[in-house]
Amino acid sequence: MPKMIRKGDLPQKTCPVCRKPFAWRKKWERDWENVVYCSERCRRTGKTASDAKP
């Protein structure tokens, strides 16, 4: 039986657009190093928080 991993133990990153943390997902297993955005919507927006006007 596979070893269970708790959600809190998964690696996390912070999205540069919305500044929210997001966790590792199975579909990103092979490409986790290159994942930058938390969602397709943030990827399409593509602006980083530093690009936003204060």
Side-chain angles (χ1 to χ4, degrees), residues 19-49:
R19 296 287 198 180
K20 292 182 182 177
F22 62 97
W24 181 91
R25 296 167 98 185
K26 179 69 175 173
K27 70 185 218 176
W28 294 331
E29 183 174 26
R30 292 187 216 138
D31 204 30
W32 178 243
E33 302 301 319
N34 298 321
V35 174
V36 178
Y37 304 105
C38 64
S39 65
E40 186 65 25
R41 182 178 181 182
C42 283
R43 187 187 67 76
R44 272 189 258 120
T45 302
K47 296 178 184 171
T48 60

